[in-house]
Amino acid sequence: MGSNFIKYILARHADWEVVNLDKLTYAGNLENLREIENSPNYSFVKGDIASAQDVEKALGNGVDKIINYAAETHVDRSILAPDAFIKTDVFGTYTLLEAARQHNVAQYIQISTDEVFGSIKTGAFDEQSPFEPNSPYAASKAGADHLCRAYFKTYNLPVIVSHSCNFFGPNQYLEKLIPLFITNLLENKKVPVYGAGDQRREWIFTEDHCKAVETIMEKGEAGEVYNIGTGFEKTNLEITRFILQELGFGEDRIEYVKDRPGHDWRYAVNAEKLRGLGWQPGIGWEEGLRRTIKWYQENESWWKKIKSGEYLEYYKQQYGK
Ligand SMILES: NC(=O)c1ccc[n+]([C@@H]2O[C@H](COP(=O)([O-])OP(=O)(O)OC[C@H]3O[C@@H](n4cnc5c(N)ncnc54)[C@H](O)[C@@H]3O)[C@@H](O)[C@H]2O)c1
């Protein structure tokens, strides 16, 4: 998502300069930024947000705003090996907040998730809902969000936290449900659905998320929290069936696999506060999914490279094939 945001911002604000700090973990990919890598107002620093030295390198010439997209993000990986999540999501956020304080930045935005609130049976979480994280990923993000709040309260650092529903769109790493299922089907393989596939998620297309963060940058208030949600709530099975249908496959492609431990049944956020700043989603879930499918169809070399490498090992470990 970070690379989508950088391209979106540079296309719309020719007079802004962007410094991109990324450790390039398995999920990072500079190919996503090829088209802008030579732009005079873009620079890249390879580094870890949990290293004060690396952060200093990125902030060296002074920055006005920090938007923290960097994180370990995959729930399954957090169940297998939580340590990287604590290091990056909690300690990395602390390191960035501390640097933001030293450099007196004008705005710090933390890109967080609806998963910090846990699961909700009916209705939707608002910005005051208590945190009840259920996976090591969600707990790490919640820890980081608490630090953000504390840095605003204690040091008056102008911090804003956003809690978003699930992203989808071009360039998404293949372990997430939508790109995994699209690319599996493009390779004529099956798609692994957890449990009965009845978990409900709210979905936002990349461009709408970029717009939401831009709105928060321009109109959000320091110390505030904004939920980013669309109301496009679907079960995993509904998403799966839509992808199957678009690609001309039947339900025999579904392989029901053992459910994830502690799997949250439903996430939903109330985004009225953000809508009050003038933002609303522009791309429906079906249109967004069609655009995403088309992107993966047209960019086979991008995802084939990933599937032939490290991802394959992980996939084998997860699904045994
Ligand atoms: N994917 C979703 O549906 C979703 C929903 C809500 C919120 N979020 C949040 O949005 C942000 C982006 O999510 P994504 O799905 O694009 O993530 P991703 O896993 O696809 O990419 C994460 C990026 O962070 C970089 N990174 C990881 N550890 C780092 C470190 N220690 N230092 C510097 N860079 C590091 C990786 O190299 C990669 O470029 C995350 O903070 C995530 O918690 C994601």
Coordinates of all heavy atoms in Angstrom, one line a residue, residues 1-2 22-25 27-28 47-49 69-73 88 111-113 137 141 164-167 172 176, ligand 1:
M1 N 0.8 -1.2 0.0 CA 0.0 0.0 0.0 C 0.9 1.3 0.0 O 0.5 2.3 -0.7 CB -0.9 0.0 1.2 CG -1.8 1.2 1.3 SD -2.8 1.6 -0.1 CE -4.3 0.8 0.2
G2 N 2.0 1.2 0.7 CA 2.9 2.4 0.8 C 3.3 2.8 -0.6 O 3.3 4.1 -0.9
D22 N 12.3 2.2 3.6 CA 11.8 0.8 3.6 C 12.9 -0.2 3.8 O 14.0 -0.1 3.1 CB 11.0 0.6 2.2 CG 10.2 -0.7 2.3 OD1 10.7 -1.8 2.7 OD2 9.0 -0.6 1.9
K23 N 12.7 -1.2 4.6 CA 13.7 -2.2 4.9 C 13.8 -3.2 3.7 O 14.7 -4.0 3.7 CB 13.2 -2.9 6.2 CG 14.2 -3.9 6.8 CD 13.7 -4.4 8.1 CE 14.5 -5.6 8.6 NZ 13.9 -6.1 9.8
L24 N 12.8 -3.2 2.9 CA 12.6 -4.2 1.8 C 12.7 -5.6 2.4 O 13.6 -6.4 2.1 CB 13.7 -4.0 0.7 CG 13.7 -2.7 0.0 CD1 14.8 -2.6 -1.0 CD2 12.3 -2.5 -0.7
T25 N 11.7 -5.9 3.2 CA 11.5 -7.3 3.7 C 10.9 -8.1 2.5 O 10.8 -7.6 1.4 CB 10.5 -7.3 4.8 OG1 9.2 -6.9 4.3 CG2 10.8 -6.4 6.0
A27 N 8.1 -8.5 1.8 CA 6.9 -7.8 1.2 C 7.2 -6.6 0.5 O 6.4 -6.1 -0.3 CB 5.9 -7.5 2.4
G28 N 8.4 -6.1 0.6 CA 8.8 -4.8 0.0 C 9.3 -5.1 -1.4 O 9.9 -6.2 -1.7
G47 N 16.2 1.0 4.8 CA 16.5 1.0 6.2 C 15.3 0.5 7.0 O 14.2 0.4 6.5
D48 N 15.6 0.4 8.3 CA 14.7 -0.2 9.2 C 14.1 0.9 10.1 O 14.8 1.7 10.7 CB 15.5 -1.2 10.1 CG 14.6 -2.1 11.0 OD1 13.5 -1.7 11.3 OD2 15.1 -3.1 11.5
I49 N 12.8 0.9 10.2 CA 12.2 1.9 11.1 C 12.5 1.7 12.5 O 12.3 2.6 13.4 CB 10.6 2.0 10.9 CG1 9.9 0.7 11.3 CG2 10.2 2.5 9.5 CD1 8.4 0.9 11.5
Y69 N 3.5 3.7 7.1 CA 2.9 2.5 6.5 C 3.7 1.3 6.8 O 3.2 0.2 6.7 CB 2.9 2.7 5.0 CG 1.8 3.4 4.4 CD1 1.9 4.8 4.2 CD2 0.6 2.8 4.0 CE1 0.8 5.5 3.6 CE2 -0.4 3.5 3.4 CZ -0.3 4.9 3.2 OH -1.3 5.6 2.7
A70 N 5.0 1.4 7.2 CA 5.9 0.2 7.4 C 5.4 -0.6 8.5 O 5.1 -0.1 9.6 CB 7.3 0.7 7.6
A71 N 5.3 -1.9 8.2 CA 4.9 -2.8 9.3 C 5.1 -4.3 8.8 O 5.2 -4.5 7.6 CB 3.4 -2.6 9.7
E72 N 5.1 -5.2 9.8 CA 4.9 -6.6 9.5 C 3.4 -6.7 9.5 O 2.8 -6.3 10.5 CB 5.5 -7.5 10.5 CG 7.1 -7.6 10.5 CD 7.6 -8.3 9.2 OE1 6.8 -9.1 8.7 OE2 8.7 -8.1 8.9
T73 N 2.8 -7.3 8.5 CA 1.3 -7.2 8.4 C 0.5 -8.5 8.3 O -0.7 -8.4 8.3 CB 1.0 -6.4 7.1 OG1 1.4 -7.1 6.0 CG2 1.6 -5.0 7.1
T88 N 9.2 -4.6 14.7 CA 8.9 -3.5 13.7 C 7.6 -2.7 14.1 O 7.7 -1.5 14.1 CB 8.6 -4.2 12.3 OG1 9.9 -4.6 11.8 CG2 8.0 -3.2 11.3
I111 N -0.6 4.5 10.2 CA -1.5 3.8 9.4 C -1.8 2.5 10.2 O -1.0 1.6 10.2 CB -1.0 3.4 8.0 CG1 -0.5 4.7 7.2 CG2 -2.0 2.6 7.2 CD1 -1.6 5.7 7.0
S112 N -3.0 2.4 10.8 CA -3.3 1.2 11.6 C -4.5 0.5 11.0 O -5.0 0.9 10.0 CB -3.5 1.6 13.1 OG -3.6 0.5 13.8
T113 N -4.9 -0.4 11.8 CA -5.9 -1.4 11.3 C -7.2 -1.5 12.2 O -7.1 -1.3 13.4 CB -5.2 -2.8 11.2 OG1 -6.2 -3.8 10.9 CG2 -4.5 -3.2 12.4
Y137 N -0.3 -9.9 15.5 CA -0.2 -8.8 14.6 C -1.1 -7.6 15.2 O -0.6 -6.5 15.3 CB -0.7 -9.2 13.2 CG -1.1 -8.0 12.3 CD1 -0.2 -7.0 11.9 CD2 -2.4 -7.8 11.9 CE1 -0.5 -5.9 11.1 CE2 -2.8 -6.7 11.1 CZ -1.8 -5.8 10.7 OH -2.2 -4.7 10.0
K141 N 0.0 -3.9 16.5 CA -0.5 -2.6 16.0 C -1.2 -1.8 17.1 O -1.1 -0.6 17.2 CB -1.5 -2.9 14.8 CG -0.9 -3.5 13.6 CD 0.2 -2.6 12.9 CE -0.5 -1.4 12.1 NZ 0.5 -0.7 11.3
S164 N -7.9 1.3 9.5 CA -8.5 1.0 8.2 C -9.1 -0.4 8.1 O -8.5 -1.3 8.7 CB -7.5 1.2 7.0 OG -8.1 0.9 5.8
C165 N -10.1 -0.6 7.3 CA -10.5 -1.9 6.9 C -9.5 -2.5 5.9 O -8.5 -1.9 5.6 CB -12.0 -1.9 6.4 SG -12.1 -0.9 4.9
N166 N -9.8 -3.7 5.4 CA -8.9 -4.4 4.5 C -8.7 -3.7 3.2 O -9.6 -3.4 2.5 CB -9.4 -5.8 4.2 CG -9.1 -6.8 5.3 OD1 -8.8 -6.4 6.5 ND2 -9.3 -8.1 5.0
F167 N -7.4 -3.6 2.8 CA -7.1 -3.0 1.5 C -7.1 -4.1 0.4 O -6.8 -5.3 0.8 CB -5.6 -2.5 1.4 CG -5.1 -1.7 2.4 CD1 -3.7 -1.8 2.7 CD2 -5.8 -0.8 3.2 CE1 -3.1 -1.0 3.6 CE2 -5.2 0.0 4.1 CZ -3.9 -0.1 4.4
Q172 N -0.4 -5.8 -4.6 CA -0.5 -6.4 -3.2 C 0.2 -7.7 -3.1 O 0.1 -8.6 -4.0 CB -2.0 -6.5 -2.8 CG -2.1 -6.8 -1.3 CD -3.5 -6.7 -0.8 OE1 -4.5 -7.0 -1.5 NE2 -3.7 -6.3 0.5
K176 N -1.9 -12.2 0.9 CA -3.2 -11.7 1.2 C -4.3 -12.3 0.4 O -4.0 -12.7 -0.8 CB -3.3 -10.2 1.1 CG -2.2 -9.4 1.9 CD -2.5 -9.2 3.3 CE -1.5 -8.7 4.3 NZ -0.4 -7.9 3.9
Ligands
LIG1 N1 -3.3 -4.9 4.2 C1 -4.4 -4.5 4.8 O1 -5.5 -4.9 4.5 C2 -4.3 -3.4 5.9 C3 -5.5 -3.0 6.5 C4 -5.4 -2.0 7.5 C5 -4.1 -1.4 7.8 N2 -3.0 -1.9 7.2 C6 -1.7 -1.3 7.6 O2 -1.2 -0.6 6.5 C7 0.2 -0.7 6.4 C8 0.7 -1.2 5.0 O3 0.1 -2.5 4.9 P1 0.4 -3.4 3.6 O4 -0.6 -4.5 3.5 O5 0.7 -2.6 2.4 O6 1.8 -4.1 4.1 P2 2.8 -5.1 3.3 O7 3.2 -6.2 4.3 O8 2.4 -5.4 2.0 O9 4.1 -4.1 3.2 C9 4.8 -3.6 4.3 C10 6.0 -2.8 3.9 O10 6.7 -2.4 5.0 C11 8.1 -2.6 4.8 N3 8.7 -2.9 6.2 C12 8.4 -4.0 7.0 N4 9.1 -3.9 8.1 C13 9.9 -2.8 8.0 C14 10.8 -2.2 8.8 N5 11.2 -2.7 10.0 N6 11.4 -1.0 8.5 C15 11.0 -0.4 7.3 N7 10.2 -1.0 6.4 C16 9.6 -2.2 6.8 C17 8.1 -3.8 3.9 O11 9.4 -3.9 3.2 C18 7.0 -3.5 2.9 O12 7.4 -2.6 1.9 C19 0.6 -1.5 7.6 O13 1.0 -0.6 8.6 C20 -0.6 -2.3 8.0 O14 -0.6 -2.6 9.3 C21 -3.0 -2.9 6.3

